[in-house]
Amino acid sequence: MRYTKRLLALSLAALLACAGTVAAEGQGSFSGSVEAGVAGVGISDDAKRVNEYSVIRPDQGAEGYGKVDLNGGSDGVAVGLEADYMGTRDQKYNLTLDYKRLLRLNAGYSSFLHWLDHDKIDYMDAGVRSPGTYVGANPLSPDNIPGGFSAYNPATGQVTAGPPSPANTNIVQQFGRATVYGEDYARGEDFSVVRSELKTGLDITLPQLPNITFHLGARMEEREGDEQSIGMSKCTACHVTGQSRKVDEKTTDFTAGATGRFGLLTVGYTFLDREFREQAADPTRTWDPTLNPGANYAGSNINFDNRILYGYEDGSLPYDVTPGSDKQSHVLKARLDLPGQTILSGSYVHANVESDKDSEPGIFTLDKGSLKTTYDGYGLRATTRFGKRMTVNLRAKVEEIEKDDVTISFFPINPNTSHGLEDPFNPAAPFNPAFNPGNPVTERHSTLNRDVLTLGADTLYRLSSYTTLRLGYEFQAIQREDDHHEDTKVHTIKAGLKTRPAKGVNVRANYTFTHYDRPFIYEDAALYNDPVTGLPYTDKDGSVATSYGDSTTWQPGYWLHYGPTYGIEFYDRRVADLSNQPEDVHEGKASVTWSPRANLAATVTLRAKIEENELDHSSWKQQTYSPGVSVWYAPSDKLNLTLAYNYHAQSTESDFCQGWYDG
């Protein structure tokens, strides 16, 4: 990128020299403006919250800035330059050239800093105390969470029971009770990326083909910096960790196409070739030793249908991997301008995306090294006017998405050699080999595979000279090929009003209601129910468990002694559906602008959004309100003042809250 910056700087310098020569010799027109000054930013809170996208200065303080706007032309040739320099990381340049309407060039470069969030992971420490387990005098912390404990010796793979102690230098873990804790390995570190983009566009019209314009374009985008990477160990305590990872992404685009105008018909075609690569190394982590989730009392030897692919013994493994991808697309558009102010337009889009996928030898292998996604979209739109008052717009769109299936071969940890999957209190106890799945092979079907139909109608009706009413309806049907997810139907109703009730007063109001019939849902995602009682947890006598005690009749959901079938039945009997998508959405927007003079205007805005979902075993509701006010005043042609304030309030209610993760 440093070479492209130098090339751009030389081009801008050459343009300035040419423009200066033209103006000096009086061969054409030349105008422009130059601005220089000092810009400052004061931050009294978190920069990520008040200055997330830095376009003036990324840090608190002040520094010099400069702006240039130059235009010149002569004999059918016009050039223009805009430059905005706010620091080494916040820059924007744009160059335009028009040669007798036969060649038009537009080139630009921009760069800015984006502050990223840093999750301190300091809110997860939780546990449920079990009788007879080590708690100690120290307060609850990631290193002292109530529950059963075991010590893992990496040299021998031996697991022994016992609380942590100064003499115990092995890896100590909690197990068997509800425990979750987080650790931030990048405390005090700020995460940010610098996004830079260099793009050029060239339009060529040949004198021999005056009705056709050819288009060429190129774009290069880079994102460099550091971001947070979060991972979690499982089949032990839920150990969530955060660390820093490098970001070095590069996206390059090349486009080519043409637009032809033939009387009432306009046809356009565009081809895109894109390459995306992450050039930074993948982050790695070492997983905690794997433990049998049901082994929480002496002599249990609970069966566990082992599906664990990797653990502490595998050492440092890559995770949070960003795959490279290649994309090619073809876009064909046509527009027909008919008499009577009627317009017909259609489009066809075909795109292929190929994403790199790597196997992890000894853990899992894929039957192919890349996965291909194909998209086909067909669109049709018709717009016509009825008299002087009403405009009607009809539209239809059909989309089809197909992605490769992939066959995955798994290589789970051998329970006969990995002591962590046996009984920590009795490592010598034999593990039941009947529950060792061997090396299973499965075929995975993508949830992206779907057919989408969208139909819509909008009408705009002019009630009076100063009042316009807009109404619209849209229907969308999503048919998924994955049998685990049902089809979704979406109904959207829109209404909008724009009016001027008095001189200098403008009012806008919009309302949208959207209903999702079966949004994207993860069926049977949570909530174990006993098959006999229908209750979440049962004791040996079938009643709801209220205390600890012996058990000779095993129930899969028995809350202390999960029984020998815990690992092969508990997760298979979940009944609650979960989704992060709403069923009903109400959204309203309103604004009133008062402009008593040409140089003064005040605007009051309000946005409200209510989202709800009534699932089979739970419900959630989210409400968002955002009022605001702004005042604009221009005391002179060269001075503009703007004062704005916006308030944002959001509340979320959920009837499904699981504060303690058990197992």
Side-chain angles (χ1 to χ4, degrees), residues 442-479:
T442 183
E443 186 176 27
R444 293 295 176 89
H445 305 280
S446 175
T447 57
L448 285 177
N449 293 339
R450 65 189 62 186
D451 296 324
V452 182
L453 171 65
T454 304
L455 302 174
D458 300 286
T459 180
L460 186 147
Y461 188 76
R462 186 175 297 276
L463 300 175
S464 66
S465 300
Y466 304 110
T467 303
T468 301
L469 175 66
R470 185 185 298 271
L471 300 174
Y473 170 75
E474 182 179 275
F475 169 77
Q476 187 177 71
I478 304 174
Q479 183 179 1

Side-chain angles (χ1 to χ4, degrees), residues 11 48 64 99 167 235 280 438 440 472 477 523 596:
S11 302
K48 299 185 293 294
Y99 177 74
C235 280
E523 296 182 349

Side-chain angles (χ1 to χ4, degrees), residues 472-518:
Y473 170 75
E474 182 179 275
F475 169 77
Q476 187 177 71
I478 304 174
Q479 183 179 1
R480 301 182 178 90
E481 294 184 9
D482 192 336
D483 295 334
H484 295 287
H485 305 282
E486 296 187 6
D487 299 339
T488 299
K489 294 181 175 62
V490 186
H491 303 267
T492 303
I493 300 174
K494 298 181 179 180
L497 181 67
K498 178 182 177 182
T499 184
R500 194 175 74 180
K503 184 178 179 180
V505 178
N506 292 281
V507 178
R508 293 174 180 264
N510 296 279
Y511 170 74
T512 301
F513 170 72
T514 305
H515 173 71
Y516 297 84
D517 182 13
R518 299 295 296 178

Side-chain angles (χ1 to χ4, degrees), residues 197-486:
E197 182 185 53
L198 176 65
K199 59 181 180 180
T200 58
L202 181 64
D203 295 338
I204 302 174
T205 303
L206 302 177
Q208 297 82 358
L209 299 171
N211 295 336
I212 300 178
T213 301
F214 298 93
H215 313 287
L216 294 174
R219 186 181 76 96
M220 181 170 63
E221 177 185 342
E222 292 184 336
R223 296 178 69 251
E224 299 181 83
D226 299 275
E227 67 180 9
Q228 188 176 29
S229 180
I230 296 178
M232 181 180 74
S233 284
K234 194 59 180 72
C235 280
T236 175
C238 295
H239 183 190
V240 182
T241 60
Q243 65 181 31
S244 176
R245 63 162 295 178
K246 290 292 182 181
V247 177
D248 188 7
E249 299 176 353
K250 183 178 180 181
T251 303
T252 56
D253 291 351
F254 171 77
T255 57
T259 301
R261 298 172 179 84
F262 311 97
L264 302 178
L265 178 65
T266 302
V267 180
Y269 168 77
T270 303
F271 168 76
L272 166 68
D273 183 83
R274 171 175 295 171
E275 179 185 82
F276 169 81
R277 295 292 183 270
E278 169 59 86
Q279 303 171 110
D282 298 326
T284 61
R285 65 167 294 169
T286 300
W287 264 256
D288 293 343
T290 305
L291 298 178
N292 186 333
N296 64 337
Y297 62 99
S300 67
N301 191 27
I302 293 176
N303 294 326
F304 180 51
D305 56 344
N306 171 31
R307 293 296 190 272
I308 305 303
L309 300 178
Y310 45 84
Y312 180 86
E313 54 265 45
D314 290 299
S316 183
L317 295 174
Y319 80 110
D320 195 6
V321 177
T322 303
S325 63
D326 297 281
K327 175 183 178 180
Q328 290 185 338
S329 68
H330 306 266
V331 180
L332 179 64
K333 295 182 178 181
R335 168 174 168 159
L336 184 62
D337 293 276
L338 298 174
Q341 296 181 313
T342 299
I343 300 174
L344 296 178
S345 59
S347 64
Y348 170 66
V349 179
H350 175 77
N352 292 315
V353 179
E354 194 166 339
S355 180
D356 299 332
K357 303 298 179 184
D358 296 328
S359 301
E360 189 66 43
I363 297 177
F364 69 91
T365 59
L366 307 177
D367 65 334
K368 50 179 68 76
S370 63
L371 297 180
K372 186 177 181 180
T373 303
T374 303
Y375 172 86
D376 289 285
Y378 309 83
L380 183 64
R381 180 187 295 266
T383 302
T384 187
R385 293 190 64 178
F386 296 93
K388 297 181 179 180
R389 289 183 175 272
M390 187 167 66
T391 301
V392 176
N393 174 43
L394 304 176
R395 61 187 184 278
K397 189 175 185 179
V398 177
E399 300 169 279
E400 182 181 8
I401 303 176
E402 294 183 351
K403 188 171 184 178
D404 289 343
D405 298 331
V406 58
T407 300
I408 310 176
S409 300
F410 298 103
F411 300 89
I413 296 174
N414 189 341
N416 295 322
T417 60
S418 177
H419 294 279
L421 292 178
E422 298 177 5
D423 180 4
F425 289 89
N426 186 15
F431 196 93
N432 189 344
F435 296 100
N436 180 14
N439 299 331
V441 178
T442 183
E443 186 176 27
R444 293 295 176 89
H445 305 280
S446 175
T447 57
L448 285 177
N449 293 339
R450 65 189 62 186
D451 296 324
V452 182
L453 171 65
T454 304
L455 302 174
D458 300 286
T459 180
L460 186 147
Y461 188 76
R462 186 175 297 276
L463 300 175
S464 66
S465 300
Y466 304 110
T467 303
T468 301
L469 175 66
R470 185 185 298 271
L471 300 174
Y473 170 75
E474 182 179 275
F475 169 77
Q476 187 177 71
I478 304 174
Q479 183 179 1
R480 301 182 178 90
E481 294 184 9
D482 192 336
D483 295 334
H484 295 287
H485 305 282
E486 296 187 6

